[in-house]
């Protein structure tokens, strides 16, 4: 695996790859890699000639600065995992390779920075107003900002994202469409631990006690999947809210059942084209999200 820290050197290398007419598959990550990320590399290997993975803990998508500070950074272990997964190229830039001092200052002042839009009006409509967007102001703006920058550096043919960040996928798809970026977004299934917990870099921050309790999150989603044919949407939502009401370990931030394209709450299972149950839970040490496709 070749490692690049400079975007210019990476670009030069990829240009020579492209002139050899090879297709580039790209998996952007923030590191602290696990089997979920390995599955992105595996999918990219299947569909593309050259696999690029990036590791960059993007400050502009953290609305909670303590979350940014505590975000696990495990570069050496990540490199080893990527080598064993068969990744060809790792891009691990320092912050000034991605952001100008002016952009970071804008973010520090909490001003919305739209310079990444290149004069085009990117509007996510209601996609970034609900669920994660409502609970993490500015989060999706930061995600779109960094992903658009990474796409411009790597210029992949296909980019691979995990379905655990379900809403993120919709926001990125919308961005790619609006900016007319010539690439395909490939969604990869959630990878779960044996007891159902969705793999996440943040899981390493769970205490032993919390780790035991968090199976309730995926367990709740699995029950919803079993029950949705016999209960209305509103009853299921109420049922999950009640389940977490007096939980001493976890606070439910939201549970919603949404249409997979619009990401808005569906009125009824009968009239919906698709349904995804999405959940966000806050524990003392960390905030976790998960989802399950109902149909
Ligand atoms: O899903 C993530 O890990 C991040 O949001 C991403 C897409 C790498 C952007 O920083």
């Amino acid at each position: 695996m070749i490692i690049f820290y400079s975007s210019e050197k990476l670009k030069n290398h990829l240009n020579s790859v492209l002139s050899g007419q090879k297709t580039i598959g790209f998996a952007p990550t923030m590191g602290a890699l696990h089997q979920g990320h390995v599955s992105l590399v595996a999918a990219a290997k299947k569909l593309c000639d050259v696999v690029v993975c990036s590791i960059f803990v993007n400050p502009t998508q953290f609305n909670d600065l303590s979350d940014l500070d505590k975000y696990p950074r495990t570069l050496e272990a990540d490199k080893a995992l990527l080598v064993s997964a068969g990744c060809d190229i790792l891009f691990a830039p320092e912050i000034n390779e991605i952001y100008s001092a002016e952009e970071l200052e804008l973010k520090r002042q909490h001003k919305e920075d739209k310079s990444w839009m290149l004069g085009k009006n990117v509007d996510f409509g209601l996609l970034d107003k609900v669920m994660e967007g409502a609970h993490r102001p500015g989060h999706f703006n930061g995600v779109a900002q960094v992903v658009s920058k990474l796409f411009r550096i790597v210029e992949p043919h296909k980019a691979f994202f995990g379905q655990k960040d379900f809403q993120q996928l919709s926001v990125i798809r919308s961005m790619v469409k609006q900016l007319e970026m010539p690439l395909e977004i490939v969604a990869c299934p959630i990878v779960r631990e044996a007891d159902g917990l969705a793999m996440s870099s943040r899981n390493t921050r769970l205490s032993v006690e919390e780790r035991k309790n968090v199976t309730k999150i995926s367990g709740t989603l699995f029950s919803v999947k079993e029950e949705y044919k016999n209960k209305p949407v509103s009853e299921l939502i109420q049922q999950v809210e009640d389940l977490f009401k007096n939980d001493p370990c976890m606070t439910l931030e939201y549970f919603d059942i949404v249409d997979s394209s619009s990401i808005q709450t569906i009125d009824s299972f009968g009239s919906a084209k698709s349904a995804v149950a999405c959940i966000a839970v806050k524990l003392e040490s960390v905030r976790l999200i998960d989802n399950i496709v109902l149909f």
Side-chain angles (χ1 to χ4, degrees):
M1 183 173 75
I2 315 175
I3 304 175
F4 290 94
Y5 300 96
S6 138
S7 27
E8 205 183 309
K9 284 187 181 149
L10 172 69
K11 261 173 164 292
N12 288 341
H13 178 81
L14 289 174
N15 278 340
S16 64
V17 165
L18 284 173
S19 61
Q21 312 247 307
K22 291 198 166 137
T23 54
I24 298 175
F26 179 43
T29 81
M30 296 206 296
L33 303 182
H34 48 68
Q35 289 305 314
H37 298 110
V38 170
S39 77
L40 303 183
V41 173
K45 277 183 83 66
K46 249 189 213 159
L47 298 177
C48 302
D49 301 320
V50 175
V51 178
V52 182
C53 187
S54 65
I55 295 183
F56 178 66
V57 182
N58 172 38
T60 70
Q61 71 187 76
F62 285 82
N63 55 312
D64 174 355
L65 286 182
S66 79
D67 191 28
L68 172 61
D69 283 346
K70 287 188 221 147
Y71 201 84
R73 284 144 172 103
T74 56
L75 190 58
E76 289 314 308
D78 291 347
K79 285 180 191 166
L81 194 60
L82 287 175
V83 169
S84 65
C87 177
D88 300 299
I89 295 171
L90 167 62
F91 178 43
E94 288 295 331
I95 192 156
N96 51 9
E97 286 292 320
I98 302 292
Y99 291 112
S100 65
E102 193 194 354
E103 282 172 321
L104 288 169
E105 181 57 20
L106 275 170
K107 175 65 185 168
R108 203 184 61 76
Q109 292 173 15
H110 296 285
K111 283 190 198 151
E112 199 174 325
D113 169 29
K114 299 202 171 187
S115 54
W116 57 278
M117 292 175 185
L118 292 176
K120 290 206 180 190
N121 190 16
V122 175
D123 180 359
F124 296 121
L126 296 176
L127 286 183
D128 67 341
K129 306 290 180 296
V130 295
M131 300 198 300
E132 290 304 284
H135 285 82
R136 302 181 67 188
H139 168 67
F140 285 125
N141 196 49
V143 169
Q145 185 183 35
V146 78
V147 171
S148 64
K149 282 171 181 278
L150 291 167
F151 283 174
R152 289 203 175 94
I153 295 169
V154 178
E155 295 187 47
H157 297 84
K158 294 181 198 285
F160 297 78
F161 293 87
Q163 250 170 336
K164 188 174 80 66
D165 295 299
F166 189 78
Q167 195 175 2
Q168 169 172 283
L169 256 164
S170 295
V171 167
I172 290 169
R173 281 202 166 106
S174 166
M175 178 195 80
V176 163
K177 195 167 170 204
Q178 291 182 60
L179 295 179
E180 296 176 11
M181 291 180 143
L183 69 125
E184 186 193 333
I185 300 297
V186 182
C188 299
I190 297 176
V191 179
R192 297 184 180 278
E193 302 284 357
D195 63 5
L197 175 66
M199 289 198 185
S200 161
S201 305
R202 290 183 172 88
N203 290 352
T204 55
R205 282 162 49 190
L206 292 165
S207 69
V208 175
E209 190 60 23
E210 285 175 333
R211 177 63 189 82
K212 266 192 245 154
N213 292 329
V214 286
T215 51
K216 177 170 171 179
I217 302 171
S218 52
T220 301
L221 294 177
F222 299 150
S223 309
V224 167
K225 177 131 189 165
E226 265 174 31
E227 288 178 61
Y228 83 88
K229 285 185 183 142
N230 307 316
K231 286 186 180 164
V233 176
S234 57
E235 194 181 325
L236 277 171
I237 292 178
Q238 189 59 55
Q239 190 175 303
V240 173
E241 286 175 358
D242 290 346
L243 194 66
F244 281 87
K245 207 172 257 164
N246 298 316
D247 193 302
C249 169
M250 290 174 247
T251 309
L252 183 69
E253 272 201 359
Y254 62 79
F255 171 76
D256 211 345
I257 300 178
V258 300
D259 175 273
S260 64
S261 315
S262 70
I263 314 290
Q264 305 307 301
T265 311
I266 59 168
D267 294 328
S268 74
F269 292 117
S271 61
K273 287 202 184 96
S274 64
V276 186
C278 302
I279 191 166
V281 167
K282 216 165 168 159
L283 295 101
E284 200 183 316
S285 61
V286 73
R287 178 181 182 278
L288 298 177
I289 60 170
D290 197 354
N291 67 76
I292 199 162
V293 175
L294 304 180
F295 60 89

